[in-house]
Amino acid sequence: MRVPAEVASTHPIPHRTMSLSLELLHVFSVFLFVGGLLGRTVAQAQARRATDIRDLDAYLRISSQFENKMVRPGSFAVLGLGLLTAWLKHWPFAPLTWVSASLLLFFSAFLLVPTVFIPRGRLFRAALDDARGQGQVTPRLTAAMGDRIVAVGHAYEWAVVAAITWLMIAKPF
Ligand code: HEM
């Protein structure tokens, strides 16, 4: 979108430079977010294979680092910088466009946190504390780590990332 000459001439940073910089930061934040998702997935897969509770604990600590230092801040940065870029580039949100469809998909994945990951995480934490107390990987812990509902939730997160990436690039509607 072109900026009126009087606005462009009075603003210290050209509009195009601003929107391109924000878009670049948005894509960098996607690296942080998706990098964290990948790291967390690998660490959790290793934790599931561990036969020693100390190894399992170590993998879970790595998984939490990915979650807390990359996935969580990354998801907020992707959202905030994406919204700012959309606003600066004057991409429409209505009627349903690739921007609003991406937002809806993104929020649908956020909804998994209170509905699936927090309640299932509580069951997992109880099984982990119990296994730590016994000093071994218990069948209860193995079952909690193989939770199908959590696995489906994580698969949905990846599907959303793939779908949004396509929407961002193809901008089909
Ligand atoms: C998993 C989440 C996301 C991923 C993987 C992602 C990925 C990308 C990629 C790869 C681009 C560059 C596309 C291109 O220039 O052709 C982009 C641009 C952009 N993204 Fe996202 N994005 C995500 C979430 C969001 C969200 C939630 C918004 C919110 C509105 C958003 C808004 C934008 C905007 C406005 C652009 C600039 C498009 C343009 O002007 O060409 N993104 N995103």
Side-chain angles (χ1 to χ4, degrees), residues 44-69:
Q44 284 180 352
Q46 288 301 111
R48 269 195 298 277
R49 279 189 210 109
T51 48
D52 186 311
I53 187 78
R54 281 162 304 184
D55 293 344
L56 192 146
D57 247 341
Y59 286 124
L60 287 181
R61 270 200 299 278
I62 301 173
S63 164
S64 304
Q65 294 280 316
F66 279 117
E67 174 73 29
N68 298 330
K69 303 228 158 86

PDB file of all heavy atoms in Angstrom, residues 44-69:
ATOM      1  N   GLN A  44      10.992 -35.179  24.058  1.00  0.00           N
ATOM      2  CA  GLN A  44       9.923 -36.016  24.629  1.00  0.00           C
ATOM      3  C   GLN A  44       9.982 -37.441  24.089  1.00  0.00           C
ATOM      4  O   GLN A  44       9.724 -38.397  24.831  1.00  0.00           O
ATOM      5  CB  GLN A  44       8.561 -35.385  24.364  1.00  0.00           C
ATOM      6  CG  GLN A  44       8.320 -34.201  25.300  1.00  0.00           C
ATOM      7  CD  GLN A  44       6.987 -33.519  25.083  1.00  0.00           C
ATOM      8  OE1 GLN A  44       6.277 -33.817  24.132  1.00  0.00           O
ATOM      9  NE2 GLN A  44       6.663 -32.573  25.955  1.00  0.00           N
ATOM     10  N   ALA A  45      10.350 -37.574  22.809  1.00  0.00           N
ATOM     11  CA  ALA A  45      10.455 -38.925  22.236  1.00  0.00           C
ATOM     12  C   ALA A  45      11.570 -39.690  22.948  1.00  0.00           C
ATOM     13  O   ALA A  45      11.420 -40.884  23.249  1.00  0.00           O
ATOM     14  CB  ALA A  45      10.725 -38.835  20.731  1.00  0.00           C
ATOM     15  N   GLN A  46      12.690 -39.000  23.244  1.00  0.00           N
ATOM     16  CA  GLN A  46      13.793 -39.654  23.948  1.00  0.00           C
ATOM     17  C   GLN A  46      13.369 -40.029  25.368  1.00  0.00           C
ATOM     18  O   GLN A  46      13.709 -41.099  25.862  1.00  0.00           O
ATOM     19  CB  GLN A  46      15.019 -38.728  24.005  1.00  0.00           C
ATOM     20  CG  GLN A  46      15.710 -38.550  22.683  1.00  0.00           C
ATOM     21  CD  GLN A  46      16.194 -39.864  22.095  1.00  0.00           C
ATOM     22  OE1 GLN A  46      15.670 -40.328  21.090  1.00  0.00           O
ATOM     23  NE2 GLN A  46      17.156 -40.497  22.716  1.00  0.00           N
ATOM     24  N   ALA A  47      12.618 -39.122  26.030  1.00  0.00           N
ATOM     25  CA  ALA A  47      12.152 -39.396  27.398  1.00  0.00           C
ATOM     26  C   ALA A  47      11.292 -40.657  27.412  1.00  0.00           C
ATOM     27  O   ALA A  47      11.401 -41.491  28.313  1.00  0.00           O
ATOM     28  CB  ALA A  47      11.363 -38.206  27.936  1.00  0.00           C
ATOM     29  N   ARG A  48      10.447 -40.802  26.381  1.00  0.00           N
ATOM     30  CA  ARG A  48       9.560 -41.990  26.338  1.00  0.00           C
ATOM     31  C   ARG A  48      10.362 -43.278  26.208  1.00  0.00           C
ATOM     32  O   ARG A  48       9.944 -44.325  26.664  1.00  0.00           O
ATOM     33  CB  ARG A  48       8.584 -41.877  25.157  1.00  0.00           C
ATOM     34  CG  ARG A  48       7.284 -41.198  25.541  1.00  0.00           C
ATOM     35  CD  ARG A  48       6.211 -41.423  24.494  1.00  0.00           C
ATOM     36  NE  ARG A  48       6.594 -40.861  23.218  1.00  0.00           N
ATOM     37  CZ  ARG A  48       6.436 -39.593  22.889  1.00  0.00           C
ATOM     38  NH1 ARG A  48       5.893 -38.756  23.753  1.00  0.00           N
ATOM     39  NH2 ARG A  48       6.810 -39.153  21.722  1.00  0.00           N
ATOM     40  N   ARG A  49      11.539 -43.178  25.565  1.00  0.00           N
ATOM     41  CA  ARG A  49      12.356 -44.390  25.363  1.00  0.00           C
ATOM     42  C   ARG A  49      13.247 -44.698  26.556  1.00  0.00           C
ATOM     43  O   ARG A  49      13.820 -45.782  26.627  1.00  0.00           O
ATOM     44  CB  ARG A  49      13.249 -44.200  24.132  1.00  0.00           C
ATOM     45  CG  ARG A  49      12.478 -44.466  22.873  1.00  0.00           C
ATOM     46  CD  ARG A  49      13.372 -44.507  21.662  1.00  0.00           C
ATOM     47  NE  ARG A  49      12.590 -44.066  20.527  1.00  0.00           N
ATOM     48  CZ  ARG A  49      12.742 -42.913  19.908  1.00  0.00           C
ATOM     49  NH1 ARG A  49      13.688 -42.093  20.265  1.00  0.00           N
ATOM     50  NH2 ARG A  49      11.962 -42.586  18.912  1.00  0.00           N
ATOM     51  N   ALA A  50      13.414 -43.743  27.490  1.00  0.00           N
ATOM     52  CA  ALA A  50      14.376 -43.938  28.587  1.00  0.00           C
ATOM     53  C   ALA A  50      13.915 -45.044  29.530  1.00  0.00           C
ATOM     54  O   ALA A  50      12.720 -45.168  29.828  1.00  0.00           O
ATOM     55  CB  ALA A  50      14.533 -42.631  29.347  1.00  0.00           C
ATOM     56  N   THR A  51      14.866 -45.846  29.984  1.00  0.00           N
ATOM     57  CA  THR A  51      14.517 -46.920  30.922  1.00  0.00           C
ATOM     58  C   THR A  51      14.975 -46.566  32.342  1.00  0.00           C
ATOM     59  O   THR A  51      14.548 -47.205  33.306  1.00  0.00           O
ATOM     60  CB  THR A  51      15.162 -48.256  30.486  1.00  0.00           C
ATOM     61  OG1 THR A  51      16.539 -48.003  30.207  1.00  0.00           O
ATOM     62  CG2 THR A  51      14.480 -48.818  29.255  1.00  0.00           C
ATOM     63  N   ASP A  52      15.838 -45.559  32.460  1.00  0.00           N
ATOM     64  CA  ASP A  52      16.340 -45.126  33.765  1.00  0.00           C
ATOM     65  C   ASP A  52      15.665 -43.799  34.121  1.00  0.00           C
ATOM     66  O   ASP A  52      15.610 -42.887  33.288  1.00  0.00           O
ATOM     67  CB  ASP A  52      17.864 -44.939  33.661  1.00  0.00           C
ATOM     68  CG  ASP A  52      18.497 -44.625  35.003  1.00  0.00           C
ATOM     69  OD1 ASP A  52      17.991 -43.719  35.703  1.00  0.00           O
ATOM     70  OD2 ASP A  52      19.497 -45.281  35.359  1.00  0.00           O
ATOM     71  N   ILE A  53      15.152 -43.703  35.351  1.00  0.00           N
ATOM     72  CA  ILE A  53      14.409 -42.498  35.747  1.00  0.00           C
ATOM     73  C   ILE A  53      15.273 -41.237  35.680  1.00  0.00           C
ATOM     74  O   ILE A  53      14.789 -40.157  35.363  1.00  0.00           O
ATOM     75  CB  ILE A  53      13.751 -42.675  37.150  1.00  0.00           C
ATOM     76  CG1 ILE A  53      12.836 -41.500  37.519  1.00  0.00           C
ATOM     77  CG2 ILE A  53      14.803 -42.863  38.232  1.00  0.00           C
ATOM     78  CD1 ILE A  53      11.512 -41.541  36.852  1.00  0.00           C
ATOM     79  N   ARG A  54      16.615 -41.389  35.923  1.00  0.00           N
ATOM     80  CA  ARG A  54      17.481 -40.191  35.856  1.00  0.00           C
ATOM     81  C   ARG A  54      17.626 -39.705  34.422  1.00  0.00           C
ATOM     82  O   ARG A  54      17.617 -38.507  34.155  1.00  0.00           O
ATOM     83  CB  ARG A  54      18.861 -40.484  36.465  1.00  0.00           C
ATOM     84  CG  ARG A  54      18.832 -40.450  37.999  1.00  0.00           C
ATOM     85  CD  ARG A  54      20.025 -41.132  38.562  1.00  0.00           C
ATOM     86  NE  ARG A  54      20.106 -42.510  38.044  1.00  0.00           N
ATOM     87  CZ  ARG A  54      21.006 -43.406  38.393  1.00  0.00           C
ATOM     88  NH1 ARG A  54      21.946 -43.088  39.239  1.00  0.00           N
ATOM     89  NH2 ARG A  54      20.993 -44.625  37.890  1.00  0.00           N
ATOM     90  N   ASP A  55      17.749 -40.663  33.480  1.00  0.00           N
ATOM     91  CA  ASP A  55      17.820 -40.268  32.056  1.00  0.00           C
ATOM     92  C   ASP A  55      16.512 -39.593  31.656  1.00  0.00           C
ATOM     93  O   ASP A  55      16.491 -38.556  31.004  1.00  0.00           O
ATOM     94  CB  ASP A  55      18.021 -41.498  31.154  1.00  0.00           C
ATOM     95  CG  ASP A  55      19.382 -42.128  31.362  1.00  0.00           C
ATOM     96  OD1 ASP A  55      20.251 -41.443  31.952  1.00  0.00           O
ATOM     97  OD2 ASP A  55      19.568 -43.293  30.966  1.00  0.00           O
ATOM     98  N   LEU A  56      15.407 -40.230  32.069  1.00  0.00           N
ATOM     99  CA  LEU A  56      14.092 -39.699  31.718  1.00  0.00           C
ATOM    100  C   LEU A  56      13.931 -38.266  32.244  1.00  0.00           C
ATOM    101  O   LEU A  56      13.505 -37.369  31.513  1.00  0.00           O
ATOM    102  CB  LEU A  56      13.032 -40.620  32.325  1.00  0.00           C
ATOM    103  CG  LEU A  56      11.604 -40.425  31.864  1.00  0.00           C
ATOM    104  CD1 LEU A  56      10.902 -41.769  31.824  1.00  0.00           C
ATOM    105  CD2 LEU A  56      10.856 -39.502  32.781  1.00  0.00           C
ATOM    106  N   ASP A  57      14.363 -38.053  33.495  1.00  0.00           N
ATOM    107  CA  ASP A  57      14.281 -36.720  34.098  1.00  0.00           C
ATOM    108  C   ASP A  57      15.107 -35.706  33.306  1.00  0.00           C
ATOM    109  O   ASP A  57      14.676 -34.577  33.094  1.00  0.00           O
ATOM    110  CB  ASP A  57      14.819 -36.781  35.534  1.00  0.00           C
ATOM    111  CG  ASP A  57      13.724 -36.533  36.540  1.00  0.00           C
ATOM    112  OD1 ASP A  57      12.686 -35.964  36.142  1.00  0.00           O
ATOM    113  OD2 ASP A  57      13.901 -36.892  37.712  1.00  0.00           O
ATOM    114  N   ALA A  58      16.292 -36.135  32.872  1.00  0.00           N
ATOM    115  CA  ALA A  58      17.175 -35.227  32.125  1.00  0.00           C
ATOM    116  C   ALA A  58      16.512 -34.831  30.802  1.00  0.00           C
ATOM    117  O   ALA A  58      16.500 -33.652  30.429  1.00  0.00           O
ATOM    118  CB  ALA A  58      18.523 -35.886  31.873  1.00  0.00           C
ATOM    119  N   TYR A  59      15.916 -35.804  30.095  1.00  0.00           N
ATOM    120  CA  TYR A  59      15.242 -35.474  28.830  1.00  0.00           C
ATOM    121  C   TYR A  59      14.051 -34.546  29.075  1.00  0.00           C
ATOM    122  O   TYR A  59      13.787 -33.639  28.293  1.00  0.00           O
ATOM    123  CB  TYR A  59      14.780 -36.741  28.108  1.00  0.00           C
ATOM    124  CG  TYR A  59      15.915 -37.510  27.475  1.00  0.00           C
ATOM    125  CD1 TYR A  59      16.133 -38.845  27.784  1.00  0.00           C
ATOM    126  CD2 TYR A  59      16.777 -36.893  26.562  1.00  0.00           C
ATOM    127  CE1 TYR A  59      17.178 -39.552  27.206  1.00  0.00           C
ATOM    128  CE2 TYR A  59      17.825 -37.590  25.989  1.00  0.00           C
ATOM    129  CZ  TYR A  59      18.022 -38.919  26.317  1.00  0.00           C
ATOM    130  OH  TYR A  59      19.052 -39.612  25.755  1.00  0.00           O
ATOM    131  N   LEU A  60      13.343 -34.791  30.170  1.00  0.00           N
ATOM    132  CA  LEU A  60      12.185 -33.928  30.461  1.00  0.00           C
ATOM    133  C   LEU A  60      12.624 -32.500  30.765  1.00  0.00           C
ATOM    134  O   LEU A  60      11.937 -31.543  30.414  1.00  0.00           O
ATOM    135  CB  LEU A  60      11.370 -34.478  31.636  1.00  0.00           C
ATOM    136  CG  LEU A  60      10.542 -35.727  31.335  1.00  0.00           C
ATOM    137  CD1 LEU A  60       9.770 -36.136  32.575  1.00  0.00           C
ATOM    138  CD2 LEU A  60       9.590 -35.489  30.170  1.00  0.00           C
ATOM    139  N   ARG A  61      13.806 -32.367  31.426  1.00  0.00           N
ATOM    140  CA  ARG A  61      14.311 -31.006  31.694  1.00  0.00           C
ATOM    141  C   ARG A  61      14.624 -30.297  30.383  1.00  0.00           C
ATOM    142  O   ARG A  61      14.318 -29.123  30.220  1.00  0.00           O
ATOM    143  CB  ARG A  61      15.558 -31.058  32.587  1.00  0.00           C
ATOM    144  CG  ARG A  61      15.221 -31.004  34.081  1.00  0.00           C
ATOM    145  CD  ARG A  61      16.410 -30.567  34.912  1.00  0.00           C
ATOM    146  NE  ARG A  61      17.535 -31.489  34.767  1.00  0.00           N
ATOM    147  CZ  ARG A  61      17.655 -32.642  35.433  1.00  0.00           C
ATOM    148  NH1 ARG A  61      16.729 -33.009  36.296  1.00  0.00           N
ATOM    149  NH2 ARG A  61      18.693 -33.420  35.247  1.00  0.00           N
ATOM    150  N   ILE A  62      15.210 -31.028  29.430  1.00  0.00           N
ATOM    151  CA  ILE A  62      15.515 -30.419  28.125  1.00  0.00           C
ATOM    152  C   ILE A  62      14.209 -30.014  27.441  1.00  0.00           C
ATOM    153  O   ILE A  62      14.085 -28.925  26.889  1.00  0.00           O
ATOM    154  CB  ILE A  62      16.319 -31.391  27.227  1.00  0.00           C
ATOM    155  CG1 ILE A  62      17.623 -31.781  27.919  1.00  0.00           C
ATOM    156  CG2 ILE A  62      16.609 -30.761  25.866  1.00  0.00           C
ATOM    157  CD1 ILE A  62      18.408 -32.856  27.194  1.00  0.00           C
ATOM    158  N   SER A  63      13.221 -30.915  27.508  1.00  0.00           N
ATOM    159  CA  SER A  63      11.926 -30.627  26.897  1.00  0.00           C
ATOM    160  C   SER A  63      11.313 -29.344  27.494  1.00  0.00           C
ATOM    161  O   SER A  63      10.796 -28.497  26.762  1.00  0.00           O
ATOM    162  CB  SER A  63      11.015 -31.831  27.115  1.00  0.00           C
ATOM    163  OG  SER A  63       9.696 -31.502  26.886  1.00  0.00           O
ATOM    164  N   SER A  64      11.416 -29.193  28.836  1.00  0.00           N
ATOM    165  CA  SER A  64      10.860 -27.987  29.471  1.00  0.00           C
ATOM    166  C   SER A  64      11.606 -26.731  29.034  1.00  0.00           C
ATOM    167  O   SER A  64      11.002 -25.668  28.901  1.00  0.00           O
ATOM    168  CB  SER A  64      10.966 -28.049  30.988  1.00  0.00           C
ATOM    169  OG  SER A  64      10.348 -29.185  31.445  1.00  0.00           O
ATOM    170  N   GLN A  65      12.930 -26.857  28.831  1.00  0.00           N
ATOM    171  CA  GLN A  65      13.694 -25.697  28.359  1.00  0.00           C
ATOM    172  C   GLN A  65      13.166 -25.243  26.994  1.00  0.00           C
ATOM    173  O   GLN A  65      12.970 -24.056  26.767  1.00  0.00           O
ATOM    174  CB  GLN A  65      15.185 -26.051  28.221  1.00  0.00           C
ATOM    175  CG  GLN A  65      15.872 -26.350  29.523  1.00  0.00           C
ATOM    176  CD  GLN A  65      16.241 -25.067  30.258  1.00  0.00           C
ATOM    177  OE1 GLN A  65      16.730 -24.127  29.658  1.00  0.00           O
ATOM    178  NE2 GLN A  65      15.972 -25.034  31.538  1.00  0.00           N
ATOM    179  N   PHE A  66      12.939 -26.203  26.097  1.00  0.00           N
ATOM    180  CA  PHE A  66      12.400 -25.850  24.778  1.00  0.00           C
ATOM    181  C   PHE A  66      11.033 -25.190  24.926  1.00  0.00           C
ATOM    182  O   PHE A  66      10.728 -24.198  24.269  1.00  0.00           O
ATOM    183  CB  PHE A  66      12.287 -27.094  23.890  1.00  0.00           C
ATOM    184  CG  PHE A  66      13.589 -27.480  23.235  1.00  0.00           C
ATOM    185  CD1 PHE A  66      14.195 -28.694  23.511  1.00  0.00           C
ATOM    186  CD2 PHE A  66      14.217 -26.634  22.335  1.00  0.00           C
ATOM    187  CE1 PHE A  66      15.395 -29.057  22.912  1.00  0.00           C
ATOM    188  CE2 PHE A  66      15.420 -26.983  21.727  1.00  0.00           C
ATOM    189  CZ  PHE A  66      16.019 -28.195  22.014  1.00  0.00           C
ATOM    190  N   GLU A  67      10.208 -25.760  25.814  1.00  0.00           N
ATOM    191  CA  GLU A  67       8.859 -25.238  26.007  1.00  0.00           C
ATOM    192  C   GLU A  67       8.897 -23.796  26.551  1.00  0.00           C
ATOM    193  O   GLU A  67       8.261 -22.899  26.011  1.00  0.00           O
ATOM    194  CB  GLU A  67       8.112 -26.162  26.993  1.00  0.00           C
ATOM    195  CG  GLU A  67       6.737 -25.702  27.418  1.00  0.00           C
ATOM    196  CD  GLU A  67       5.696 -25.856  26.323  1.00  0.00           C
ATOM    197  OE1 GLU A  67       5.847 -26.767  25.491  1.00  0.00           O
ATOM    198  OE2 GLU A  67       4.750 -25.056  26.297  1.00  0.00           O
ATOM    199  N   ASN A  68       9.686 -23.603  27.641  1.00  0.00           N
ATOM    200  CA  ASN A  68       9.651 -22.309  28.333  1.00  0.00           C
ATOM    201  C   ASN A  68      10.461 -21.225  27.648  1.00  0.00           C
ATOM    202  O   ASN A  68      10.106 -20.052  27.721  1.00  0.00           O
ATOM    203  CB  ASN A  68      10.140 -22.469  29.776  1.00  0.00           C
ATOM    204  CG  ASN A  68       9.238 -23.398  30.557  1.00  0.00           C
ATOM    205  OD1 ASN A  68       8.044 -23.479  30.287  1.00  0.00           O
ATOM    206  ND2 ASN A  68       9.806 -24.127  31.504  1.00  0.00           N
ATOM    207  N   LYS A  69      11.567 -21.615  26.987  1.00  0.00           N
ATOM    208  CA  LYS A  69      12.429 -20.584  26.402  1.00  0.00           C
ATOM    209  C   LYS A  69      12.150 -20.323  24.932  1.00  0.00           C
ATOM    210  O   LYS A  69      12.549 -19.296  24.394  1.00  0.00           O
ATOM    211  CB  LYS A  69      13.900 -20.985  26.558  1.00  0.00           C
ATOM    212  CG  LYS A  69      14.292 -21.238  28.006  1.00  0.00           C
ATOM    213  CD  LYS A  69      15.574 -20.509  28.349  1.00  0.00           C
ATOM    214  CE  LYS A  69      15.707 -20.288  29.840  1.00  0.00           C
ATOM    215  NZ  LYS A  69      16.299 -21.418  30.529  1.00  0.00           N
TER     216      LYS A  69
END
